[in-house]
Amino acid sequence: MDEGPIATIMREKLTSAFHPTRLELEDDSARHAGHHHEGGMDAKPRGESHFNLTIVSDAFVGMNRVQRQRAVNAALAAELAGPVHALSIRAQTNDESDA
């Protein structure tokens, strides 16, 4: 897997925090190239600004969807405050996972 430095850090932090049985992190920045928002451009030309995440872990047992998203956001707070503009999160327990 050839991923950039931001994705590598995100993957390491998510693995450490949640010990997932499945972790898929897709750089979706290319789809957002050229999109503008009030502060400037959304997607960086080199990528690693928009991600789709699927994470499966029993660390999410007993959490609702919002609690799971907050837990992921907390684990990636530094990245979300800086280089990552958007993160789509699909967080499930092993019992909920379709794979």
Side-chain angles (χ1 to χ4, degrees):
M1 179 183 306
D2 185 28
E3 61 186 20
I6 295 167
T8 299
I9 290 167
M10 291 171 66
R11 185 176 298 280
E12 289 170 358
K13 287 184 174 185
L14 292 165
T15 299
S16 177
F18 302 107
H19 307 286
T21 55
R22 178 175 161 209
L23 194 158
E24 296 175 12
L25 187 61
E26 174 194 8
D27 184 348
D28 194 33
S29 303
R31 255 189 31 171
H32 301 275
H35 292 186
H36 292 274
H37 65 88
E38 190 173 309
M41 296 290 285
D42 278 355
K44 297 180 175 88
R46 67 186 178 283
E48 293 201 286
S49 61
H50 292 65
F51 288 92
N52 296 321
L53 170 67
T54 299
I55 183 168
V56 177
S57 171
D58 281 339
F60 299 124
V61 170
M63 293 184 188
N64 64 35
R65 183 181 57 82
V66 172
Q67 291 169 323
R68 294 172 189 192
Q69 290 184 351
R70 286 181 179 161
V72 170
N73 288 341
L76 300 176
E79 290 70 30
L80 292 170
V84 177
H85 176 76
L87 177 65
S88 171
I89 302 168
R90 181 177 179 206
Q92 299 178 307
T93 66
N94 285 300
D95 288 343
E96 297 167 336
S97 175
D98 54 352

